[in-house]
Amino acid sequence: MIFNSLGFLLFFPIVLIAYYAVPKGFQNLWLLFSSYWFYMSWNPKYGLLLLGVTILTYIAGLLIGKDSHASWGDPDEYGRISADFDSKVSKRRRNIKTGVVSGKEKKKRAILGLVLFIVFGLLCFYKYTDFLAVNAAKLLSRIGILAEFDHFDVVMPVGISFFTFQAAGYLIDVYREEIPSEKNFLRYALFVSFFPSILAGPIGRAPALIPQYSRPREFDWNRVCSGFMLMLWGFFLKLVIADRAAILVNFVYQNYHELYGWTIVLATVIYAFEIYCDFCGYSIIAAGTANMLGIRFMKNFDCPYFSVSVQDFWRRWHISLSGWFRDYLYFPLGGSRCNFLRRYFNVMVVFMVSGLWHGSQWSYVAWGGLNGLYQIIGGILTPVRTLILRIFGFDKDVLSLKKNPAMGGSMKIYSSIAPITDVVTPWEKSVAGKKQEDFEEDRDGEYSDEDIRSSLRLSSGRASWQTEEARRGHLRTGLFGIRIGEDELSFNAVKMSILKLIRILITFVLIDFAWLFFRAAGLKDAFMMIEKVKSDFGLMEFSLSKVYELGLNEKNFWLLIICIVILIFSDYVKYHGGDIRKWILERPIVFREIIIAASILIILVFGIWGNSYDASSFIYFQY
């Protein structure tokens, strides 16, 4: 069962109606039953695998958190909670950091290691057995040993990469005493298997989700309408844009031998929007579905193609996965609190593992490595870029995200025009006594004051990259940071805006080039396509009539372009702090219902449907 299927259109209304009809004490039980029904509709036997992972990690969590001093804090309006840090927790962490480990601590560490080995072992077994066998055979053949391995003909359980990471993150949080272990099995099982996110994320965090399952959810018409509008936007991205773009992209990538290089460039640019609309569309549908059920998910995408650097892109793209690797791999490796060689090594490890997580072939590893290499080169060349920009009259801190948020990758272009108020969140209260160095320098030293609000616990609830002034002040924004209506446009403001636009375009080109490796059938095909672009670009052969022969006719091609423009405009509004959905919900009910009806009609008319259309699941289902 997938979101864009008739089965789901029948399944979800039944779940929603019954969910608010049953007594509040049975809501979690109904959601758990519905989640297993949803998951087992793919393959019933894999429901046992999901249950086995849930039971194993639940018991392990109880054993690891037996003597924990952590406790749940109060959730804020975003569903975030904070662990209650006390002196015992701080002392325990200092002991671990200095190597003073008790017998109990060794036992907990052994349990954690064993269970993580089993959980990730299952993931590797289903996902990488063939990949490892094939590469082992090739390696042995190079030294003169012939080896043959039988093909591993077992269907990979859908969503295994997501629910294993979610369960593993919970165990690590309990071990670190960031959170207490969850005693209620029903709540924990729902945390692992909640149906909107189990197949393709976002990868939830226990501090954000488990407290939401511990309280009853009342029916709220405005929240249901808001969630439904989120779902409509997600369906628009998936059915109208992503699946239409896939027709052209698939045609070119399957027939690139017979086409000119410019078609590969065109298809790769369009693929950037295909994968964005496909995966972001799923995340938005999942968030809308959960929202209608009274559960809030973290934001998984945040206008990624408005990023001013590759590092900024990965703060905005697949935030739940990027945050998971940051908190559970990059930081334990040492993060950026080490010498520059080790820091760059850590970056490459994280991105190559991320590439391998996406798929068991070398082209994914190359894609991850390329993104890591971008960041390393960017870090090395920062002094050179700063020097060049200073020659053109820019400030020495123009590239600093912390000191110059208007040029950096912040959510908005800031102009604080109101007094700062002392607003303190529950999480800030919980970390008020922690040392600043515990949070500094974990993202190349550029967001040290924000790490308090955007590290493991905060990123699990709502990704926020706002500066202190932006968070506390009243903000106004304009076109690429030029404030319209306040003052005359200064030369410096225009210059900064042009530089920002150039950085956005350069970042998009770099990211889009990496997408070629992600989309290609294999590493060999990726290099052959690059060679095709270099040797047979065929610019003189370009014409719109030839574009219309790449799988999409003239009407569908221009419909795709118009929809992409709508997407860019929507992200532009959101990037500058606007909220189109909120604006619609605040209109009179007649106007709002007309917008909703028109949206449904557009999706039905312009969505890709029919027998010739493979309801090709969402791209990230395969991961």
Side-chain angles (χ1 to χ4, degrees), residues 107-126:
K107 182 179 179 180
K108 291 181 179 181
R109 187 175 293 180
I111 294 172
L112 176 67
L114 176 62
V115 175
L116 290 182
F117 177 80
I118 295 172
V119 170
F120 289 132
L122 287 170
L123 176 62
C124 292
F125 172 74
Y126 283 105

Side-chain angles (χ1 to χ4, degrees), residues 105-152:
E105 194 65 41
K106 290 180 180 179
K107 182 179 179 180
K108 291 181 179 181
R109 187 175 293 180
I111 294 172
L112 176 67
L114 176 62
V115 175
L116 290 182
F117 177 80
I118 295 172
V119 170
F120 289 132
L122 287 170
L123 176 62
C124 292
F125 172 74
Y126 283 105
K127 197 166 184 176
Y128 303 110
T129 298
D130 263 353
F131 176 73
L132 294 174
V134 169
N135 283 278
K138 290 181 179 179
L139 181 63
L140 291 172
S141 67
R142 288 182 177 273
I143 58 177
I145 300 176
L146 296 178
E148 294 184 2
F149 296 94
D150 293 333
H151 178 65
F152 182 65

Side-chain angles (χ1 to χ4, degrees), residues 19-20 212 215 217 223 289-296:
Y19 175 72
Y20 286 112
Q212 296 189 65
R215 58 180 185 267
R217 278 78 65 187
R223 187 184 63 234
T289 304
N291 204 21
M292 294 177 75
L293 295 168
I295 304 297
R296 293 184 66 102

Side-chain angles (χ1 to χ4, degrees), residues 136-278:
K138 290 181 179 179
L139 181 63
L140 291 172
S141 67
R142 288 182 177 273
I143 58 177
I145 300 176
L146 296 178
E148 294 184 2
F149 296 94
D150 293 333
H151 178 65
F152 182 65
D153 191 19
V154 174
V155 178
M156 184 180 73
V158 67
I160 189 172
S161 297
F162 292 90
F163 68 74
T164 53
F165 267 41
Q166 193 154 309
Y170 161 79
L171 284 182
I172 297 172
D173 288 351
V174 172
Y175 172 74
R176 293 174 175 174
E177 296 196 12
E178 309 284 4
I179 58 172
S181 57
E182 176 54 51
K183 307 300 190 296
N184 186 300
F185 178 75
L186 183 62
R187 281 200 293 265
Y188 178 72
L190 184 57
F191 161 72
V192 176
S193 63
F194 190 37
F195 73 87
S197 62
I198 189 173
L199 300 183
I203 300 172
R205 300 290 187 89
L209 291 177
I210 290 180
Q212 296 189 65
Y213 301 135
S214 65
R215 58 180 185 267
R217 278 78 65 187
E218 300 287 344
F219 179 81
D220 185 313
W221 176 249
N222 289 330
R223 187 184 63 234
V224 170
C225 287
S226 177
F228 184 65
M229 289 191 66
L230 267 180
M231 293 180 69
L232 288 178
W233 177 243
F235 281 122
F236 173 80
L237 295 182
K238 167 62 177 173
L239 295 173
V240 180
I241 301 181
D243 289 338
R244 180 168 274 99
I247 296 173
L248 185 148
V249 173
N250 293 343
F251 180 88
V252 173
Y253 272 70
Q254 291 169 6
N255 302 282
Y256 70 90
H257 301 90
E258 306 167 4
L259 301 171
Y260 290 109
W262 66 262
T263 64
I264 297 173
V265 174
L266 174 65
T268 304
V269 171
I270 290 179
Y271 180 69
F273 293 98
E274 179 200 341
I275 191 170
Y276 176 37
C277 292
D278 191 290

Side-chain angles (χ1 to χ4, degrees), residues 326-340:
R326 181 193 66 224
D327 296 328
Y328 302 127
L329 183 57
Y330 181 65
F331 287 174
L333 286 173
S336 57
R337 290 178 290 183
C338 47
N339 64 66
F340 74 96

Side-chain angles (χ1 to χ4, degrees), residues 403-416:
K403 297 179 180 180
N404 188 15
M407 178 52 62
S410 45
M411 286 285 296
K412 304 169 184 174
I413 309 304
Y414 309 115
S415 170
S416 183

Side-chain angles (χ1 to χ4, degrees), residues 253-548:
Y253 272 70
Q254 291 169 6
N255 302 282
Y256 70 90
H257 301 90
E258 306 167 4
L259 301 171
Y260 290 109
W262 66 262
T263 64
I264 297 173
V265 174
L266 174 65
T268 304
V269 171
I270 290 179
Y271 180 69
F273 293 98
E274 179 200 341
I275 191 170
Y276 176 37
C277 292
D278 191 290
F279 190 24
C280 181
Y282 181 92
S283 296
I284 290 174
I285 296 171
T289 304
N291 204 21
M292 294 177 75
L293 295 168
I295 304 297
R296 293 184 66 102
F297 281 171
M298 69 175 292
K299 186 182 295 182
N300 211 18
F301 289 85
D302 227 337
C303 315
Y305 291 142
F306 281 91
S307 304
V308 294
S309 67
V310 174
Q311 184 184 39
D312 184 30
F313 175 84
W314 283 105
R315 293 180 183 131
R316 297 174 177 277
W317 180 276
H318 203 343
I319 297 169
S320 62
L321 180 65
S322 300
W324 198 98
F325 278 120
R326 181 193 66 224
D327 296 328
Y328 302 127
L329 183 57
Y330 181 65
F331 287 174
L333 286 173
S336 57
R337 290 178 290 183
C338 47
N339 64 66
F340 74 96
L341 288 178
R342 179 58 188 269
R343 183 169 73 245
Y344 293 151
F345 171 79
N346 295 343
V347 170
M348 285 302 295
V349 168
V350 169
F351 276 94
M352 294 184 76
V353 171
S354 175
L356 194 59
W357 178 89
H358 281 85
S360 54
Q361 60 185 42
W362 288 111
S363 57
Y364 289 113
V365 179
W367 166 79
L370 190 56
N371 277 279
L373 190 62
Y374 285 155
Q375 298 202 41
I376 292 173
I377 294 175
I380 294 173
L381 295 181
T382 295
V384 178
R385 291 186 293 153
T386 302
L387 178 61
I388 294 173
L389 290 173
R390 292 197 68 184
I391 293 174
F392 286 94
F394 289 96
D395 186 83
K396 63 182 178 66
D397 295 321
V398 69
L399 297 178
S400 172
L401 301 183
K402 177 182 177 181
K403 297 179 180 180
N404 188 15
M407 178 52 62
S410 45
M411 286 285 296
K412 304 169 184 174
I413 309 304
Y414 309 115
S415 170
S416 183
I417 58 176
I420 292 177
T421 57
D422 292 325
V423 179
V424 182
T425 65
W427 170 244
E428 290 170 320
K429 292 179 182 178
S430 71
V431 299
K434 300 200 74 182
K435 294 182 179 180
Q436 180 69 13
E437 59 264 25
D438 291 341
F439 299 96
E440 290 181 339
E441 300 296 313
D442 279 335
R443 277 194 297 275
D444 295 335
E446 294 182 329
Y447 281 88
S448 57
D449 62 327
E450 295 173 11
D451 281 341
I452 297 177
R453 292 179 298 281
S454 57
S455 60
L456 167 61
R457 283 74 54 184
L458 213 168
S459 67
S460 65
R462 177 186 62 162
S464 175
W465 302 101
Q466 298 178 349
T467 63
E468 187 71 10
E469 291 78 14
R471 187 178 66 83
R472 295 183 178 184
H474 177 67
L475 309 174
R476 291 183 186 173
T477 64
L479 180 63
F480 289 109
I482 302 174
R483 299 196 303 275
I484 300 174
E486 285 189 42
D487 302 300
E488 293 183 3
L489 300 183
S490 66
F491 173 74
N492 186 62
V494 174
K495 185 173 64 174
M496 291 284 284
S497 298
I498 293 174
L499 177 59
K500 183 177 179 65
L501 178 59
I502 291 173
R503 294 186 68 189
I504 289 173
L505 293 175
I506 291 175
T507 301
F508 179 81
V509 170
L510 293 174
I511 293 297
D512 195 45
F513 177 71
W515 283 135
L516 185 146
F517 288 87
F518 193 92
R519 175 58 182 82
L523 197 57
K524 181 179 178 181
D525 285 270
F527 285 120
M528 290 179 67
M529 293 173 79
I530 294 171
E531 183 60 32
K532 184 76 171 179
V533 172
K534 290 168 55 180
S535 62
D536 190 18
F537 190 77
L539 182 60
M540 301 303 295
E541 302 297 327
F542 173 82
S543 68
L544 286 176
S545 61
K546 286 186 170 59
V547 172
Y548 306 147

